[in-house]
Amino acid sequence: MSNLFTVSPSPHVHSAETTSKIMYRVVYAMIPALLWSVFVFGLDALRVTLIAIVACLAFEYVIQKYLMKIKPMITDGSALITGILLAFNVPANLPWWIIIIGALAAVGIGKLSFGGLGSNIFNPALVGRVFLLISFPVQMTSWPVLSEGEVDGLTTATPLGIIKEGLTSGTPVSQIAQDLPSSTDMLLGQMSGSLGEISALLLILGGVYMLIKKVITWHIPVSVIVTVAAIAALFWLIDPERYVNPIYHILTGGLMLGAIYMATDMVTSPMTPKGQLIFGAGIGIITISIRMFGAYPEGISFAILIMNAFTPLINNYVKPKRFGGN
Amino acid sequence: MLKTFKIGGVHPPENKLTSGNPIEILPLPKTVFIPVAQHIGAPAVPLVKKGDAVKAGQLIAKSSSFVSTNIHSSVSGTVKRVDFQADSSGYPKQGIYVDVQGDEWLEEIDQSKDLVKTFDFDSETIVKKIQEAGIVGLGGATFPTHVKLIPPKGMKAEVLLINGVECEPYLTSDHRLMLEKPDEILIGIQLLMKAMNVEKAVIGIENNKPDAIKLLSEKAKEYKGISVTALKVKYPQGGEKQLIKAVTGKEVPPGGLPIATGAVVNNVGTAFAVYEAIQKNKPLFERVVTITGKNVAKPSNFLVRIGTPTSELLEAAGGMPENTGKIISGGPMMGRALASIDVPVTKGTSGVLLMQKEEAKRDTVLACIRCSRCVSVCPMGLEPYLLMTLSEKQIFDRCESNHIMDCIECGSCSYTCPSDRPLLDYIRFGKGKVGQIIRSRNK
Ligand code: SF4
Ligand code: SF4
């Protein structure tokens, strides 16, 4: 019998939680919305998602191995999430090479240029998305027409796109509303939009799973959604002919996707519940401002990226309650 | 709603394998090694030399200052030598080797099992007797009990809290003591109340020990001013500050003493030792120790003489299991890993835990994913991820301004981190440095 015992400082036990378990739970949470996108947009959705995933994993591997010269960490699940989220944020008819450029921007610029998982300031998938939105504005805003599993080359606008266009040309809301999907269709996801953003219901379902599994807390999603709803409702009550029902703001334009899956990215969001509430409220305010007064019909991507930049500052000023302190 | 402390906390698997095993008396070893520093404070000064005959209970090393305590022989026999040996800290410590011969106790010790209920001592006498008997906090903190009982000037104790929480996984020595010696503990509590001049005492017990809660609640009816509070199971509820918060709702201010809330905390084991010291004239020279582990053949609770080598406990528990990778004195969250099985049982040894090689291994450290789990579990409201980084980069002024000295080293952060980051290892280092800086500044 060897008498050599491990002598290390306490604690001597560790919880069963691991980083990759947490990451894979996020992946599981996105599966219902992914399946729905295949149902709505057909195999195109699957094509986009697979290309995005493979590209993200490949870039992660190559850059880590040959440029950063570290052990590639592609099995930790984080590049997988980035791939799925990138796909969720683009139209289902996006050409393959644009997706690959997006993956390079997401993983290369968004994540690894900062030092890799945990060191990045911005949500990688959003860096990819915004990069594409600026570089390929036409392809990124041409949405396939829904035809139950068939995409026939025709393109259409998203609900928020229709609203933006209508309002800019001075059409009253009551008239625009005729072209908009019903609330039920928006909730279920019978509308055009980015691949993974359309079914609010399934996105919420995945969010509830992540809440139960303690991957996220309620603070960020709730504060984003409540802020958007409150401001939208305020304007709507003042002038319902110039501002749309808040329901459109909540159920469309990727708000659920952003609030539940991207703003909650733990690497790029604040540490304390209070900080997270401030962060979420900030995202809500910026989102609704862009939508109402800005050039883009949507806006949550920009809002999240802007608040990502404020995260270090929030962490610096919003501290947890010290035991025995006030 | 059961009471508990408000911020942070974790729930490691309880693994209380021995809660149903009655306390057994461990056979006497051949030799004991009794360290003269088993407590927080100055080491005691040896009074015996090689060749002296001693009896169990005899004073063999004398308290050297106010914050120090007496050491008594735990066996009868001959002093072999006064020498140095590594204790659980791993450092060689001075101590007294005694070769065991027979088992003769000092005459004044009442060895009968009779319960002695009544006492007629004033406060000073009780404190003095506690001091003479060498009693320290038996929960593992080993702070001399008499020091705790005398409040600093201008402060007054209002309530005595008795820690029956035993929140460390695996350990059951306090649990068994509560089940087997409830009256003794309650009388000990009365003595402590008298010593502190308080009218009220509350025993805090976690809800995973319903039998102890029931028994002590029943018995406490016969003792004026003592009640039992059931607490929700949450680690580190046995921490002094967390227990005060859980029971009284008050928070000890940062850097302040518990007495600032009017509460003084003592362990159930300490209350039992107080009973024995005063009602039975028996100084502290034995204690209950849990020996346990998933592969231990006979995990048990033993009544052990101070100074007994850990190897004796191991043998009585069925020998060292194959593949043992780590031996811990205390519980898995805050205990110390032992380098050798010769380390003696001391006043602060609540248990010995044997871990398998696989259990003992630490996983690969990954990057911090800023998941904030460490922040949300910290019972002191600190930001462990930040303190680790600052300690690593040696930015000690910011360690201090981020309250690193508040850390109670409970280990909840390292336990929780999904990236297996050794948060507490770094925080300890940072704390040590900041402590030095503060001391040199105050000079
Ligand atoms: S060890 Fe210190 S920093 Fe870590 S959780 Fe406990 S009190 Fe907080
Ligand atoms: S628990 Fe670990 S990974 Fe999470 S924030 Fe703390 S140090 Fe980072």
Side-chain angles (χ1 to χ4, degrees), chain A residues 103-124:
Chain A
L104 181 61
V107 172
I109 303 174
K111 186 161 107 184
L112 298 178
S113 71
F114 288 95
L117 178 63
S119 306
N120 50 307
I121 295 177
F122 300 103
N123 182 311

Side-chain angles (χ1 to χ4, degrees), chain B residues 10-243:
Chain B
V10 291
H11 195 165
E14 292 165 27
N15 286 319
K16 305 270 191 187
L17 312 175
T18 47
S19 49
N21 304 7
I23 300 168
E24 296 166 65
I25 296 174
L26 188 79
L28 285 176
K30 286 202 187 64
T31 314
V32 291
F33 172 74
I34 305 173
V36 294
Q38 302 181 30
H39 46 267
I40 291 179
V45 181
L47 298 175
V48 290
K49 54 182 194 311
K50 187 177 167 179
D52 285 358
V54 291
K55 288 182 182 171
Q58 184 179 327
L59 186 68
I60 53 172
K62 203 171 162 18
S63 162
S64 58
S65 75
F66 180 59
V67 186
S68 174
T69 189
N70 286 338
I71 304 284
H72 303 81
S73 181
S74 59
V75 293
S76 58
T78 321
V79 174
K80 202 160 103 187
R81 60 182 203 275
V82 178
D83 207 345
F84 287 81
Q85 188 195 312
D87 71 353
S88 63
S89 71
Y91 293 105
K93 293 279 170 68
Q94 192 182 36
I96 296 154
Y97 285 91
V98 182
D99 278 331
V100 181
Q101 286 136 4
D103 189 19
E104 207 184 318
W105 293 23
L106 287 187
E107 292 80 54
E108 69 242 38
I109 301 174
D110 173 0
Q111 291 195 55
S112 73
K113 292 227 156 42
D114 311 335
L115 194 67
V116 189
K117 278 201 159 175
T118 53
F119 55 85
D120 183 22
F121 300 112
D122 60 10
S123 172
E124 283 86 72
T125 317
I126 297 174
V127 175
K128 197 162 145 267
K129 279 174 178 276
I130 288 174
Q131 184 170 12
E132 279 167 2
I135 296 175
V136 299
L138 293 185
T142 66
F143 192 75
T145 303
H146 65 270
V147 183
K148 265 190 171 179
L149 297 178
I150 304 170
K153 273 207 176 54
M155 305 244 189
K156 195 181 153 7
E158 280 148 23
V159 60
L160 169 66
L161 299 188
I162 297 295
N163 186 348
V165 169
E166 206 163 47
C167 60
E168 274 273 9
Y170 287 100
L171 303 187
T172 56
S173 50
D174 288 348
H175 185 188
R176 288 314 306 180
L177 205 59
M178 288 190 279
L179 291 179
E180 295 176 40
K181 307 281 180 195
D183 284 297
E184 289 83 347
I185 290 172
L186 287 161
I187 298 165
I189 294 172
Q190 284 193 316
L191 286 158
L192 286 165
M193 288 163 73
K194 176 84 195 193
M196 289 163 50
N197 289 314
V198 296
E199 302 296 319
K200 200 176 150 210
V202 183
I203 311 173
I205 307 174
E206 282 191 343
N207 212 24
N208 56 358
K209 297 178 267 293
D211 45 358
I213 295 173
K214 189 157 166 271
L215 180 66
L216 281 173
S217 307
E218 276 301 308
K219 294 261 183 194
K221 288 182 191 144
E222 297 162 33
Y223 298 84
K224 202 170 149 273
I226 307 179
S227 64
V228 174
T229 296
L231 302 168
K232 193 176 150 196
V233 180
K234 192 158 87 172
Y235 178 87
Q237 195 137 239
E240 209 167 41
K241 291 175 179 163
Q242 278 64 38
L243 184 66

Side-chain angles (χ1 to χ4, degrees), chain A residues 271, chain B residues 368-374 385 417-419 421 423:
Chain A
M271 289 295 211
Chain B
C368 169
I369 54 166
R370 312 181 60 78
C371 67
S372 81
R373 280 174 171 70
C374 55
Y385 78 96
C417 177
S419 289
R421 299 182 67 73
L423 293 151

Side-chain angles (χ1 to χ4, degrees), chain B residues 128-432:
Chain B
K128 197 162 145 267
K129 279 174 178 276
I130 288 174
Q131 184 170 12
E132 279 167 2
I135 296 175
V136 299
L138 293 185
T142 66
F143 192 75
T145 303
H146 65 270
V147 183
K148 265 190 171 179
L149 297 178
I150 304 170
K153 273 207 176 54
M155 305 244 189
K156 195 181 153 7
E158 280 148 23
V159 60
L160 169 66
L161 299 188
I162 297 295
N163 186 348
V165 169
E166 206 163 47
C167 60
E168 274 273 9
Y170 287 100
L171 303 187
T172 56
S173 50
D174 288 348
H175 185 188
R176 288 314 306 180
L177 205 59
M178 288 190 279
L179 291 179
E180 295 176 40
K181 307 281 180 195
D183 284 297
E184 289 83 347
I185 290 172
L186 287 161
I187 298 165
I189 294 172
Q190 284 193 316
L191 286 158
L192 286 165
M193 288 163 73
K194 176 84 195 193
M196 289 163 50
N197 289 314
V198 296
E199 302 296 319
K200 200 176 150 210
V202 183
I203 311 173
I205 307 174
E206 282 191 343
N207 212 24
N208 56 358
K209 297 178 267 293
D211 45 358
I213 295 173
K214 189 157 166 271
L215 180 66
L216 281 173
S217 307
E218 276 301 308
K219 294 261 183 194
K221 288 182 191 144
E222 297 162 33
Y223 298 84
K224 202 170 149 273
I226 307 179
S227 64
V228 174
T229 296
L231 302 168
K232 193 176 150 196
V233 180
K234 192 158 87 172
Y235 178 87
Q237 195 137 239
E240 209 167 41
K241 291 175 179 163
Q242 278 64 38
L243 184 66
I244 295 174
K245 173 75 183 172
V247 177
T248 70
K250 292 185 192 156
E251 288 186 5
V252 179
L257 290 170
I259 186 87
T261 63
V264 169
V265 182
N266 278 289
N267 182 268
V268 281
T270 311
F272 178 70
V274 167
Y275 165 83
E276 288 203 313
I278 294 169
Q279 306 295 74
K280 298 281 195 178
N281 285 321
K282 183 184 158 202
L284 178 58
F285 63 74
E286 56 184 358
R287 67 157 298 150
V288 183
V289 180
T290 303
I291 168 128
T292 182
K294 291 203 180 113
N295 286 58
V296 173
K298 282 195 331 207
S300 320
N301 299 295
F302 287 121
L303 183 64
V304 186
R305 301 287 171 92
I306 301 297
T308 303
T310 303
S311 52
E312 298 275 333
L313 274 117
L314 271 172
E315 206 163 296
M320 172 109 65
E322 282 276 305
N323 207 21
T324 299
K326 205 185 225 185
I327 303 177
I328 295 157
S329 168
M333 293 299 287
M334 290 184 80
R336 277 179 158 161
L338 301 179
S340 132
I341 52 171
D342 301 331
V343 169
V345 166
T346 59
K347 293 176 182 177
T349 312
S350 45
V352 174
L353 168 62
L354 299 164
M355 284 175 98
Q356 293 294 96
K357 283 218 167 73
E358 304 78 63
E359 280 180 280
K361 221 173 59 205
R362 284 193 176 190
D363 284 318
T364 327
V365 175
L366 301 174
C368 169
I369 54 166
R370 312 181 60 78
C371 67
S372 81
R373 280 174 171 70
C374 55
V375 179
S376 60
V377 300
C378 177
M380 298 309 290
L382 304 176
E383 295 166 285
Y385 78 96
L386 178 67
L387 294 176
M388 171 170 172
T389 311
L390 294 174
S391 300
E392 199 175 4
K393 295 191 178 151
Q394 314 217 357
I395 310 175
F396 298 122
D397 52 336
R398 285 190 60 205
C399 283
E400 193 184 348
S401 61
N402 281 288
H403 316 306
I404 198 168
M405 297 310 282
D406 285 5
C407 170
I408 57 169
E409 304 187 23
C410 69
S412 300
C413 49
S414 303
Y415 170 81
T416 306
C417 177
S419 289
D420 289 286
R421 299 182 67 73
L423 293 151
L424 180 52
D425 295 3
Y426 281 91
I427 294 172
R428 271 201 198 96
F429 163 74
K431 246 183 107 175

